[in-house]
Amino acid sequence: DIYVAHKPPKERAPVVDGVAPEIYSAALGLPKGDEVTLPPDPIQEQKSFSKAKKEFEALPEVRVLFDNGAGPTPGKSNTPGNPYPAFEETFPEWPIPAKARSWFLGPEGTLSDEPAAAEGVDSYTSDANATGLTDYTGGAGPGGLWGDASQWDWNWVAPPEGDSVSYVSAPLTEDTTVIGGGAVTVWVKSSTPNVDLQATVSEVRGDGNETFVQNGWIRADERKLATSSENMFKQAPTELQPIPTFLKSDLQAMPADEFVPVTIPLYFEGHAYRAGTHIRVSIAAPNGTQPVWSFSQTQPEGETANVSIGFGPTMPSSLTLPITSEATVPTGLPPCPSLRNEPCRPYQAFVNNGS
């Protein structure tokens, strides 16, 4: 309306406000009687084009909605899973100022602020069929996954012991807000020349539950990282956003009997970890953590691999996340379940094979 038609959005506002909720409810298959309302729009309140444009351009460039699904429906009581955030923050630019914080993998499945004092090794069997291919058993059409929490049928299960490794931090001493990417860098030895690695970041809550947050993946022979902006994204890689080259000329088979560092870039997250909760990172073969898609062509093809993860002074395997001090957390833990596409399950302690 503003930049193409050069008209104030107010001219179409009554139509949008009347029709959009019905279309949204039908498309998402929300339960009967679960009404959806649009939030107030200050731009639509402006009668003139010039004022609407001025109001729009005065808004912050970036808006982050936290705990989507845990917020109250406008004008109504809260229904867990409805598409409303518990709180939001706005920022003038992207990337949002953040400091890289690393937790280091250590013995007995720990994540610590410093590398382990002694070398250690944990191992697992990389098996892409160790769990179900996806973590959701319902339909992907209207309702179900797209409805509220009463319609969800999550089946997010941990791989059997021996088919993954897991590391958990000490309780956080303060609310910790992560906005952006990050990475899991691990020292890896594989029994096969190639192996796929999946990293899963989750929050182990103080109430005994665990919430899925984000994933990252890498094929080990594609571990070569870009060092300049000459890459697929045409941007300079950083500690918080490493970028593999993905060039055929950079493919490197895993050495037969040697640990090598492999960086697993994490997809972006906007998550508030509350004080008292723990951050967990798990490493396994792909699959089992997404609702409607999975990997059908995994490495090693048609077999499993014995994978070892090293840690310690010369092998500082770590989880690194972008921590921002620009956001505050005004709400408590969201109900379990309530977050959209972030399944929540009872936490089960995990014992690694090794240290």
Side-chain angles (χ1 to χ4, degrees), residues 92-297:
E93 61 182 354
W94 184 270
I96 294 165
K99 181 179 180 181
R101 178 177 175 181
S102 294
W103 290 265
F104 294 89
L105 280 60
E108 299 182 355
T110 54
L111 275 179
S112 304
D113 292 333
E114 301 292 337
E119 309 291 351
V121 175
D122 292 321
S123 62
Y124 68 94
T125 299
S126 180
D127 181 359
N129 296 304
T131 64
L133 295 181
T134 63
D135 62 2
Y136 190 77
T137 56
L145 181 64
W146 296 100
D148 62 30
S150 69
Q151 297 177 286
W152 296 344
D153 191 13
W154 291 105
N155 189 33
W156 179 40
V157 298
E161 289 192 8
D163 286 338
S164 70
V165 290
S166 167
Y167 302 88
V168 181
S169 75
L172 298 174
T173 58
E174 59 184 4
D175 293 340
T176 302
T177 304
V178 176
I179 306 176
V184 176
T185 298
V186 284
W187 286 75
V188 181
K189 183 173 66 174
S190 174
S191 64
T192 55
N194 202 8
V195 65
D196 293 335
L197 301 169
Q198 172 179 281
T200 301
V201 179
S202 58
E203 178 181 23
V204 179
R205 302 158 35 129
D207 62 1
N209 292 309
E210 178 183 11
T211 299
F212 171 89
V213 178
Q214 190 52 284
N215 278 131
W217 298 269
I218 195 68
R219 181 157 287 174
D221 70 348
E222 298 175 354
R223 63 188 181 276
K224 177 72 173 179
L225 296 177
T227 57
S228 71
S229 59
E230 292 300 315
N231 56 63
M232 62 187 296
F233 296 127
K234 302 302 179 184
Q235 67 183 50
T238 66
E239 181 182 11
L240 291 171
Q241 196 171 357
I243 303 173
T245 68
F246 290 125
L247 295 175
K248 184 177 181 180
S249 58
D250 287 335
L251 294 178
Q252 306 172 76
M254 293 291 286
D257 193 26
E258 179 184 349
F259 284 93
V260 293
V262 179
T263 295
I264 308 171
L266 295 172
Y267 282 77
F268 281 21
E269 65 177 87
H271 192 79
Y273 297 86
R274 270 69 173 188
T277 65
H278 311 249
I279 295 178
R280 181 187 189 189
V281 61
S282 303
I283 302 164
N287 293 327
T289 59
Q290 294 294 321
V292 295
W293 58 266
S294 59
F295 295 89
S296 62
Q297 298 174 328

